[in-house]
Each structure stands twice: as structure tokens, then as C-alpha cells.
Amino acid sequence: MRPGSRKSVIVTMINGLRPAMPIPPTTSKSLLRRAACLATAILLITVPLDTALAHQATDVAGGLKAGLLHPLYGLDHVVAMVAVGLWGAFLGPPAIWLLPIVFPMVMAFGGALGVTGMPIPFIETGIAVSAIVLGLMVAFAVRPPLWIAAVIVGLFAIFHGHAHGTELPAAANPLAYSMGFVVSTGLLHLGGIALGLPARWPAGRTLVRAGGALIAAVGAAFLATG
């Protein structure tokens, strides 16, 4: 092939577009490692903070503990939190990290509305519907544009946050309580991500979709009994 010929120029251009080193695909082990590191960081921040705040006059430490435990008291809350991580894992990057970030951020805003006493109608209905919708998104392998998925998650986060905010214990510090339920929610999201990682394989995808259907069924049960 003669230098300067049309064929040599095309080959040179193609070679120039190739990366210098191959980009390794993200593996399930690396995703689990990232999730574990994030969970560890959250716990390392939370435990010393809890100890340090215990000496304050206001019951800040009690508020933090109450916030950490509050999302675990209701199964409708738990399954919806897990569903966010499950759906993110099913959609893959960047949704696997964006959705579990959007939810706690918007939920904190909803919590602030609840603490201040601003009313939002049909809170419990919205929580049950969130489990149904998010579960069905996974069960039917719905893949909307990322911004639509974020809007859906953010909308339901307001209902969950408002419920947490209105149930603030009388003696608890609002800021510490809010921090607690945001951290607890993030850990539940990480659990959902871990459960959703098998969706990378055909058999695992079937199991993950079945999990989404189960979450939707739990939400429907709460909606029917609520």
C-alpha cells in the first residue's frame, strides 16, 4: 500500500479513532465493590456522628437513630426503596447510580415539607402506588429515557419524604432525623442494586423481573388495605 494513497489515509484515520488501550467493561464484582465501599463510608460517617451528637442538650442522637430506623418500620417503604435500586441495576449505568441519588435528594425536600406541616394529599396512597409502579417497571422491563425514570423516582420520593417528616418524633432533632432516614434509604437502595446485578444474565433477568412483580404485589396489597 503506497503512502499517501486513499486507502492508506483511510486506514490511518481508522487507527486514529481506536483507543490506545482497551476499555474494560464494568463487571458485577466492581459494581458490588463500589456499593460496599459506599455503604462502608456511610456507616463510618454515621456511627461517629451519632456518638458525638449524643452529648448535645437536644436529642440529636435520638433523632438520628429514629431517622435510621423509621424507613424500616413499614414494608411499603422498604419495598419501594429496594425497587429504586433494583430498577437502576436493571437499567444499568448511569441509571444504576443516578436513580439512588435522585430519590434521597428529593425525599429530603419532601421531608422538609412534612416537618414544616405543609399538607400533601394521599400520602399513603402515593407510597403504595410507588411500590406498584416501580415494581411493574422492573417486571415489564420498562426502559424509559433516563430523565423520565428520574422524574418518576423523584415524584414518588416526595411522598415518602413527607411521610417521614410528618412522623418526626417530638423530642428528635429535625436535621439529625432527616439525615438518618436519608442514610437508611441509601442503604436500602444499595441492597436493591445488589439484588438487581444478576439481571446481566438471562436467568438472572428473569429472577429480577419476578422480584419486581413481587414488589408490585406488595404495593397493591397495601393499596387495597389502606
Side-chain angles (χ1 to χ4, degrees):
M1 181 167 49
R2 291 182 296 104
S5 67
R6 181 179 299 177
K7 186 175 181 180
S8 68
V9 170
I10 293 175
V11 170
T12 301
M13 292 176 64
I14 293 174
N15 289 333
L17 292 174
R18 294 175 180 171
M21 296 181 63
I23 301 175
T26 303
T27 63
S28 298
K29 289 184 179 180
S30 66
L31 289 175
L32 283 172
R33 188 161 51 248
R34 292 179 190 176
C37 290
L38 181 57
T40 303
I42 291 173
L43 291 174
L44 288 175
I45 292 172
T46 303
V47 173
L49 181 62
D50 190 8
T51 304
L53 294 177
H55 301 288
Q56 294 191 12
T58 57
D59 194 6
V60 178
L64 184 61
K65 291 178 181 178
L68 285 168
L69 295 175
H70 192 268
L72 306 178
Y73 289 153
L75 184 59
D76 50 349
H77 283 289
V78 172
V79 295
M81 304 301 100
V82 172
V84 171
L86 198 64
W87 193 26
F90 191 86
L91 295 176
I96 190 173
W97 303 117
L98 180 63
L99 298 187
I101 290 175
V102 168
F103 195 101
M105 290 179 62
V106 180
M107 187 184 66
F109 171 72
L113 296 179
V115 169
T116 58
M118 182 174 293
I120 295 180
F122 308 113
I123 290 296
E124 294 301 323
T125 299
I127 291 172
V129 170
S130 71
I132 296 172
V133 172
L134 294 172
L136 290 177
M137 291 293 171
V138 177
F140 288 99
V142 179
R143 293 181 175 274
L146 183 61
W147 71 270
I148 293 180
V151 168
I152 292 173
V153 166
L155 175 63
F156 289 130
I158 293 177
F159 290 98
H160 286 267
H162 192 277
H164 293 318
T166 54
E167 295 171 9
L168 169 72
N173 179 279
L175 181 59
Y177 177 78
S178 301
M179 183 185 300
F181 71 68
V182 167
V183 170
S184 184
T185 297
L187 293 175
L188 289 171
H189 289 335
L190 289 176
I193 291 173
L195 292 174
L197 291 180
R200 295 171 170 272
W201 300 279
R205 183 176 296 267
T206 301
L207 290 175
V208 170
R209 293 179 66 176
L214 179 61
I215 289 173
V218 172
F222 274 97
L223 185 62
T225 57

